[in-house]
Amino acid sequence: LGVDGKGIKIGIVDSGVDYNHPELGGCWKTEGCPWQYGEDFIGDKYNEADAIPIIEPNPTPMDCAGHGTHVSGILAGRGPQVRGVAPGATFGMYRVFSCPINGEGGSSDDILLQGIEAAFEDGHDIINLSLGGGAWSEEPVAVACAQIVQQGVVVVAALGNDGAGGLQTGSAPAIARGVISVGSVDNWNVTSKPGIITSAQGTQKIALSMPGDSKYPFDFDSDTPLEIPAGGEDSIVGCANYTENMSGKIVVVKRGGCTFNEKALYAYTAGAIGVICYNNVAGDMSPAVSNSVPIPFVGISDDDGKHVTDTLAAGKATVKAPKGAREISPSKTGGQISLFSSIGPSAELDMVPLISAPGGNIWSTYPQKLGSYASLSGTSMATPYISGTVALLKQARPDLDVRAITRLLVSNGKPITDPATGLKTTPFMSGAGLVNIYDAIKSRVQFDPPVLSLNDSKISHIQGYSKLESLGSVRWAARTISIHNTDSKKSLHLSLSNAAANSLSMILANGSFSYSPRTWPADTSSVSEDTLPKVYSPNAEKTIGPGKTCSVTVFIVAPKGLKDLESWYYGGFINFTLQWDGEKTTSTQVVSYGGYNGDSTIQDVLSPPSDGLPALVDTVTGEPVNDLSTLVIDNNATKAILFGLSIPSRLVEIMLVDAATDKSAGYMVQGYNEYLARTCPECSVPYVGVPLTKTVFTDSKLTNVTQVPAGKYHVRIRALRPFGDTSVDSDYQVWNSGDFTIA
């Protein structure tokens, strides 16, 4: 197509860039240099764990962490090893993340906003945000991004890497309206660092996958001993304190049981210098860890894991992973949604992600001081791929505005087939599917909207389409899609059909809660039609004249055969088959849809009892306090309330309640929380903790402080259910602890 992004400006807000890298131009703001914009907003000394973090920006946004340089290569790489999606574009780097210090680094909303606002002020056409946090469109960064989109700038953002936590794990600003949210698919070929396993049986290579957020490369130039933690199942998966000293060793653990972060910290506490985590299901595994992980952490496939564990069962073994080494091998999961990729919908049931791109096991540039190249995984890696495709689309079709770009990008996505069910992967995981820039550029039709978010439609008889009256009372929604034929000379003939996708639920058949979503259909040998969503239209075939626009109304019926109480999220794709006058070939574009099969307003918000939360715990030992009758609290107490959320909540209140009157004495410290994201054992936020003292606040802004008088009290948590009214008591889920004494 002859497009490479030339003439398009892309602002990258990230950890900086090694602009001296030969494949990234080897320059900074000189004539002809691809890097003409950007600055450092944070410096090298910022540590979010400090009471007052140090902010000392450098003269240029040089990268010392790696993430930003890797993202940059996917966009701007000039070869020979890394060829970016839009190498002809002009770039800016706005550094908002610091170097890792004792495993910590991070940033803050005010620094992120400085970087985003600077990218906007510098006039970029596209802003790439391979970052995220929170779950609501009201997050400050999400609000800013939504406003920037309204000003005509395309904002592309990573949905997040909390897919292990199940549904509604997408993060801001990706969930902001107007922002292009991006999911990840695994690469078809894995360019990875080879790990050389040596034992008495000989040597064998395994493929190592580094997390995209890792601060420490898995570089071991000499043979380093491997060991599996001894003990029970919790030890084998690395989710308990080790009974042995792992100093100087790399531990091998199985995926599952706790977060990757926790596995790394347990190993680090035992003295380990690295972690290899093998998959607990078939295929490759791309872990995601946070800045707090202080040692190298890599993932390997289940097959490689079996080899390593079998080798260690037979005797001692070592691993060597030379700096800069790489190998290419085919991936068993290529083209499928990455296991780490966060899943929609948003907290307000909007469809996210909108589109997907390769993000699992991506080979790209890395700071030269850290090895020059690395294979990383994350929606962070998929996001610049989409930003690059937007640049190509803008170059090829400069007349398009932000909304038109989104429409073309999304409706030309290619839905992904789930090999396990034969149905399409739910759009809550894939969006419209895998991006297809060629079709987007060549497209002669626009669909508005390109995505239908159906919320939780009520049960009733269908109104407005008499042929559907025989369906009786069903959950249904009617939507109108505007279709514009942009060909000025030929009429467009179209017809529509439905491609049902998998449904997902976090409620198992036995009624228990699971963070790994259950998929319907589970048994594809016999699938009842009433368990799949249906699409009907009174005008399923249309002819649209040259340059004309028409509307199509669709009636979408939720899967009546799936139980409301099992909280199914259903979806699919409306396939539009297109043919223009005088042309023999047809093409297909899609409008994705998705909804909730039940009444979302009655869902429980707090984590299920199986998580052991909410709980009152001792912050020194980490153990729960089971007998509250003898517990005495003062302002020196080392106790806290821990709780989790199975779905996001607009408001969570934690109060001390007088046991005698059952009246609130006030909000606890950190006891008034608006717009909370989901938590889960394997999410970036596993739970929320609130200290328990005799100090309370009598206002929601937590400014009027007081000490409660001595007496008997208990803790009350009130979590607002979806779409609830903050002033209506019945819209909250309520939990009360047992009574304890305040001195």
Side-chain angles (χ1 to χ4, degrees):
L1 295 174
V3 289
D4 63 358
K6 184 177 180 179
I8 307 301
K9 294 166 60 177
I10 305 175
I12 306 169
V13 183
D14 216 294
S15 68
V17 59
D18 182 355
Y19 46 79
N20 290 324
H21 198 294
E23 296 204 33
L24 295 176
C27 56
W28 180 253
K29 292 187 177 181
T30 56
E31 186 176 354
C33 180
W35 301 98
Q36 291 294 325
Y37 303 92
E39 59 184 293
D40 185 355
F41 293 93
I42 194 165
D44 298 346
K45 300 178 181 179
Y46 185 96
N47 185 344
E48 62 185 3
D50 292 344
I52 305 178
I54 299 170
I55 302 176
E56 294 181 357
N58 296 317
T60 63
M62 177 57 74
D63 187 10
C64 56
H67 189 275
T69 301
H70 197 275
V71 165
S72 297
I74 297 168
L75 269 167
R78 298 186 164 200
Q81 287 202 41
V82 178
R83 184 71 177 173
V85 179
T90 301
F91 298 95
M93 174 56 74
Y94 303 84
R95 185 182 179 218
V96 295
F97 293 103
S98 189
C99 307
I101 301 173
N102 297 323
E104 298 291 340
S107 189
S108 62
D109 277 352
D110 59 328
I111 296 173
L112 295 179
L113 287 169
Q114 288 182 61
I116 293 168
E117 290 169 0
F120 172 71
E121 292 295 333
D122 282 344
H124 289 288
D125 302 295
I126 305 161
I127 297 177
N128 185 94
L129 300 174
S130 291
L131 52 84
W136 290 82
S137 58
E138 287 81 3
E139 297 285 343
V141 174
V143 171
C145 288
Q147 293 174 345
I148 287 172
V149 170
Q150 291 177 358
Q151 297 300 312
V153 178
V154 179
V155 178
V156 185
L159 188 62
N161 302 323
D162 282 334
L167 290 147
Q168 292 190 285
T169 48
S171 63
I175 48 80
R177 290 180 175 88
V179 171
I180 299 176
S181 53
V182 184
S184 170
V185 301
D186 283 346
N187 203 347
W188 292 263
N189 291 305
V190 179
T191 305
S192 60
K193 176 186 285 290
I196 304 168
I197 305 297
T198 302
S199 68
Q201 289 78 35
T203 62
Q204 181 169 327
K205 290 182 180 178
I206 62 174
L208 307 173
S209 175
M210 272 184 60
D213 294 332
S214 175
K215 303 294 185 182
Y216 295 89
F218 198 89
D219 292 336
F220 295 93
D221 292 324
S222 59
D223 290 319
T224 306
L226 293 169
E227 188 159 341
I228 298 175
E233 178 68 13
D234 283 346
S235 297
I236 294 171
V237 297
C239 296
N241 290 319
Y242 293 8
T243 58
E244 59 270 73
N245 187 338
M246 293 292 186
S247 295
K249 298 177 182 179
I250 295 171
V251 298
V252 179
V253 297
K254 183 168 69 173
R255 182 182 183 182
C258 61
T259 68
F260 295 126
N261 291 352
E262 289 173 309
K263 292 178 190 291
L265 292 173
Y266 278 122
Y268 174 71
T269 302
I273 57 175
V275 179
I276 296 176
C277 181
Y278 61 93
N279 208 354
N280 57 0
V281 295
D284 299 311
M285 193 259 293
S286 302
V289 298
S290 71
N291 296 336
S292 63
V293 171
I295 54 177
F297 190 106
V298 292
I300 61 175
S301 69
D302 60 318
D303 286 343
D304 282 345
K306 185 177 188 307
H307 168 74
V308 174
T309 54
D310 287 350
T311 299
L312 287 170
K316 294 183 179 180
T318 62
V319 64
K320 180 191 294 185
K323 183 177 181 179
R326 68 186 179 104
E327 286 190 349
I328 300 176
S329 58
S331 170
K332 295 179 181 178
T333 56
Q336 295 298 309
I337 292 296
S338 304
L339 292 175
F340 59 77
S341 191
S342 288
I343 306 172
S346 74
E348 295 162 299
L349 299 188
D350 289 330
M351 179 72 76
V352 289
L354 293 183
I355 195 72
S356 294
N361 300 303
I362 305 299
W363 183 257
S364 186
T365 50
Y366 216 55
Q368 295 173 92
K369 292 182 179 180
L370 299 178
S372 295
Y373 303 94
S375 180
L376 304 183
S377 296
T379 52
S380 285
M381 285 67 246
T383 300
Y385 195 104
I386 294 298
S387 293
T389 62
V390 172
L392 303 184
L393 184 56
K394 283 185 68 69
Q395 181 187 1
R397 301 179 64 170
D399 58 312
L400 298 174
D401 61 18
V402 173
R403 290 190 62 190
I405 287 169
T406 302
R407 288 195 292 264
L408 286 176
L409 203 67
V410 173
S411 66
N412 283 282
K414 302 305 175 188
I416 298 166
T417 299
D418 182 348
T421 66
L423 297 182
K424 300 302 180 184
T425 297
T426 171
F428 289 125
M429 297 178 75
S430 70
L434 186 63
V435 66
N436 187 313
I437 184 57
Y438 181 88
D439 284 359
I441 289 175
K442 292 294 186 179
S443 176
R444 289 175 284 169
V445 61
Q446 290 190 29
F447 295 87
D448 187 20
V451 172
L452 303 177
S453 296
L454 306 179
N455 205 302
D456 62 347
S457 50
K458 307 304 180 185
I459 296 177
S460 66
H461 284 79
I462 295 177
Q463 304 293 321
Y465 192 12
S466 58
K467 290 184 178 180
L468 301 182
E469 291 178 358
S470 61
L471 295 178
S473 292
V474 292
R475 291 193 182 277
W476 65 281
R479 295 289 188 272
T480 298
I481 303 169
S482 174
I483 307 169
H484 178 50
N485 177 15
T486 59
D487 192 312
S488 61
K489 297 180 179 179
K490 297 180 179 181
S491 291
L492 167 64
H493 308 280
L494 65 81
S495 60
L496 66 85
S497 60
N498 176 46
N502 295 335
S503 293
L504 297 180
S505 173
M506 297 176 71
I507 307 298
L508 300 182
N510 63 7
S512 63
F513 184 91
S514 171
Y515 288 104
S516 296
R518 177 162 62 120
T519 299
W520 183 268
D523 179 7
T524 56
S525 62
S526 177
V527 181
S528 174
E529 283 295 309
D530 70 351
T531 63
L532 302 176
K534 297 287 188 293
V535 176
Y536 305 92
S537 177
N539 41 13
E541 296 184 0
K542 282 272 190 178
T543 296
I544 309 173
K548 299 298 183 180
T549 300
C550 79
S551 296
V552 170
T553 298
V554 293
F555 293 81
I556 301 172
V557 179
K560 187 175 182 179
L562 297 181
K563 298 176 182 177
D564 280 13
L565 293 179
E566 291 184 348
S567 299
W568 289 98
Y569 290 81
Y570 67 93
F573 302 89
I574 303 172
N575 294 324
F576 287 89
T577 301
L578 315 170
Q579 187 173 30
W580 277 264
D581 278 347
E583 299 180 11
K584 294 182 179 180
T585 59
T586 62
S587 59
T588 302
Q589 291 184 216
V590 300
V591 171
S592 56
Y593 65 89
Y596 178 74
N597 191 48
D599 182 355
S600 66
T601 65
I602 64 173
Q603 291 185 91
D604 280 345
V605 178
L606 296 172
S607 293
S610 57
D611 279 6
L613 299 176
L616 197 155
V617 301
D618 188 307
T619 57
V620 176
T621 66
E623 297 297 320
V625 181
N626 295 317
D627 184 6
L628 301 187
S629 62
T630 60
L631 178 65
V632 179
I633 296 295
D634 57 27
N635 277 337
N636 296 315
T638 55
K639 304 295 184 290
I641 287 289
L642 303 186
F643 67 92
L645 298 177
S646 59
I647 56 175
S649 180
R650 159 73 176 77
L651 175 62
V652 178
E653 301 173 329
I654 308 97
M655 300 169 285
L656 272 181
V657 176
D658 189 310
T661 65
D662 200 38
K663 300 290 186 182
S664 171
Y667 297 110
M668 292 167 53
V669 177
Q670 303 171 20
Y672 190 88
N673 300 274
E674 295 185 287
Y675 303 111
L676 286 186
R678 270 209 52 209
T679 64
C680 74
E682 293 197 32
C683 290
S684 52
V685 180
Y687 53 79
V688 179
V690 176
L692 175 58
T693 68
K694 61 189 298 182
T695 299
V696 296
F697 298 86
T698 57
D699 66 318
S700 61
K701 294 183 178 180
L702 306 184
T703 57
N704 299 327
V705 63
T706 187
Q707 305 289 306
V708 299
K712 289 284 187 179
Y713 294 84
H714 55 261
V715 173
R716 176 171 295 160
I717 299 176
R718 299 201 324 152
L720 190 66
R721 300 183 193 273
F723 305 104
D725 186 331
T726 58
S727 65
V728 177
D729 288 345
S730 60
D731 284 354
Y732 289 84
Q733 181 185 0
V734 179
W735 175 87
N736 291 295
S737 75
D739 292 345
F740 50 83
T741 300
I742 288 186

